[in-house]
Amino acid sequence: MKVASIVGARPQFIKAAPLDRELRELCQHVLIHTGQHYDYAMSAVFFEELKIPEPHYNLGVGSASHGKQTGEMLIRIEKTLMEEQPDCVVVYGDTNSTLAGALAAVKQHFPVAHVEAGLRSFNRSMPEEINRVLADHVASLLYCPTETASSNLAREGIAGGVFNFGDVMYDAVLRSTEVVDSTSRILASLDLAPRSYLLATIHRPANTDNEQNLCGILGALASTNEVVVFPAHPRATKAMERLGLDLPPNVRLLEPVSYLDMLALEKNARLILTDSGGVQKEAYFFGVPCVTLREETEWVETTECGWNLLVGASEPRIAEAIRQFQPQGERPQVFGDGKASRRIALHLQSVFES
Ligand code: UD1
Ligand code: UDP
């Protein structure tokens, strides 16, 4: 069996890492990096730290408008798949690399497997929502991380090929959690004690590219007297530069950090503020309260049990959440048992080697 995985953006390297390890034991696994993310801190550092082999291809697509970026990916992925002739093409999550990979594959009759299928925000102004819906509708194998995700697919009439094996990002966290404490030096280097700071990330266009929302979020971070550690996605840094926004000294602006440093920062934060999908889940895994800077989330399990609070981008709502939000209830284990990637790899083998 030969499986080709298409990755391109930061969270996809993290999602692909545990599956790559399983697949390499069972078959030939060809890694195709679209080049959507390309800075060392957004790409290569994850390959090094998570011991993912060098991708077989880096298609070097880089940044552009949605149409140009997705179109270039489509052209280059198609050519690569035609050369490689895999039995199956795996796509991850909901980025433009996911959509281009799924479309290039299905049009050339390569079966598509979607890892993290079935998530919905029900907000079609998010580019990710379009990418997920389309990828799910052309995939023949849909690996859902949660029961909610498989019910979402059922509502859209997708019944065959749907499997809930758990969440590969939970696998990734479990595999790294022990080495985090022995490897990451980030708390010491920032002179931070556990639970003495807030951790913030933003990168959704609705927050970074909308001046009112960006100012609302940064205003709330500036108004607290707590230390806020803010590893900024390049989209956020560029937006702040464009608007000439400065941050007060309590906000510690960092370049994007590595995965192990990020897990260390998450695990030890008093509270996390984010618009990231992955970071919301990791907060939940670690039992750290999460304030989500959006009006809706795909990860509804985290809000339903009270550990994740949706506040949007309004300064007073965020400031109040920083002061008041203290979840206490149970955190049900809804993301599987840490063996999702093993199950996916074995399932692919059962389908494509029989
Ligand atoms: C992309 C995904 C988003 C995902 C996020 C993870 C789409 C539509 N969006 O958003 O779903 O949550 O990745 O981080 O696919 N840039 C750099 N260096 C890089 C990469 C990007 O400076 O290595 C800058 C460029 O100015 C670029 C901007 O960031 O224009 C946005 O990058 P892009 O890949 O288009 O989208 P993200 O916001 O990263
Ligand atoms: N992450 C990281 N360094 C950072 C910010 C995030 O390693 O500076 C990790 C984070 O721990 C999670 C993933 O990147 O595993 C989330 O990616 P991102 O927020 O870019 O995208 P999303 O999950 O929203 O698609």
Side-chain angles (χ1 to χ4, degrees):
M1 169 173 74
K2 187 198 266 193
V3 174
S5 276
I6 315 277
V7 294
R10 172 167 69 186
Q12 293 171 324
F13 312 136
I14 294 158
K15 290 169 204 189
L19 186 57
D20 167 70
R21 204 185 286 190
E22 299 294 346
L23 283 172
R24 273 190 288 134
E25 276 183 23
L26 300 177
C27 69
Q28 191 181 350
H29 186 211
V30 179
L31 258 185
I32 303 172
H33 186 329
T34 62
Q36 177 170 354
H37 286 176
Y38 42 84
D39 290 345
Y40 175 78
M42 294 296 288
S43 174
V45 67
F46 298 97
F47 286 80
E48 289 170 16
E49 215 173 50
L50 295 168
K51 302 193 173 37
I52 313 169
E54 227 6 58
H56 297 82
Y57 298 86
N58 189 322
L59 306 181
V61 168
S63 305
S65 67
H66 283 279
K68 184 166 182 346
Q69 188 183 55
T70 313
E72 281 298 334
M73 287 179 190
L74 203 47
I75 294 166
R76 298 180 202 189
I77 295 169
E78 180 181 73
K79 182 167 175 289
T80 313
L81 293 180
M82 294 310 279
E83 279 164 25
E84 284 290 337
Q85 294 290 320
D87 294 302
C88 170
V89 175
V90 184
V91 297
Y92 302 79
D94 53 20
T95 74
N96 287 349
S97 298
T98 316
L99 174 62
L103 212 48
V106 74
K107 289 285 184 108
Q108 295 298 337
H109 309 297
F110 295 110
V112 175
H114 187 196
V115 171
E116 219 177 65
L119 295 185
R120 295 292 180 267
S121 65
F122 303 102
N123 173 358
R124 291 227 171 166
S125 71
M126 281 180 83
E128 293 83 1
E129 185 76 351
I130 308 298
N131 293 341
R132 304 178 182 119
V133 169
L134 296 176
D136 282 341
H137 281 261
V138 298
S140 44
L141 294 170
L142 298 104
Y143 297 121
C144 296
T146 59
E147 293 296 332
T148 309
S150 33
S151 328
N152 288 338
L153 293 177
R155 262 203 307 278
E156 291 174 21
I158 304 176
V162 176
F163 303 90
N164 179 358
F165 290 154
D167 184 5
V168 293
M169 286 189 82
Y170 186 47
D171 299 11
V173 165
L174 290 185
R175 281 181 192 202
S176 297
T177 198
E178 274 170 24
V179 279
V180 168
D181 296 331
S182 56
T183 313
S184 175
R185 298 277 162 268
I186 190 144
L187 262 71
S189 72
L190 295 172
D191 200 16
L192 293 169
R195 313 275 165 240
S196 70
Y197 62 92
L198 315 179
L199 174 67
T201 79
I202 48 168
H203 71 274
R204 300 280 166 204
N207 285 335
T208 57
D209 303 358
N210 173 314
E211 184 172 352
Q212 194 184 345
N213 287 355
L214 184 61
C215 290
I217 294 167
L218 297 181
L221 302 184
S223 71
T224 168
N225 51 20
E226 293 186 76
V227 170
V228 183
V229 179
F230 179 22
H233 187 286
R235 186 187 274 285
T237 316
K238 285 179 185 161
M240 289 189 295
E241 281 166 8
R242 219 170 28 242
L243 295 169
L245 299 175
D246 284 328
L247 294 167
N250 72 306
V251 183
R252 314 262 293 259
L253 181 68
L254 308 180
E255 295 287 312
V257 297
S258 77
Y259 183 59
L260 295 181
D261 283 347
M262 188 63 183
L263 294 186
L265 286 171
E266 289 172 349
K267 213 173 151 180
N268 291 293
R270 182 185 76 71
L271 179 93
I272 293 176
L273 301 116
T274 192
D275 60 11
S276 157
V279 176
Q280 286 175 66
K281 274 189 294 180
E282 288 161 356
Y284 186 84
F285 301 153
F286 290 129
V288 174
C290 184
V291 171
T292 292
L293 307 167
R294 291 175 48 195
E295 298 293 351
E296 75 284 307
T297 181
E298 302 76 29
W299 302 105
V300 290
E301 297 81 358
T302 62
T303 55
E304 281 163 2
C305 68
W307 278 84
N308 185 6
L309 183 68
L310 300 174
V311 296
S314 122
E315 181 172 334
R317 282 171 73 197
I318 302 168
E320 192 194 336
I322 292 175
R323 282 193 308 272
Q324 309 274 354
F325 184 50
Q326 277 188 327
Q328 263 150 21
E330 294 283 298
R331 282 175 297 119
Q333 193 166 354
V334 288
F335 293 99
D337 59 2
K339 298 194 178 94
S341 34
R342 180 83 187 146
R343 289 198 190 91
I344 294 172
L346 289 172
H347 186 256
L348 288 171
Q349 187 184 38
S350 74
V351 174
F352 294 106
E353 274 192 2
S354 56

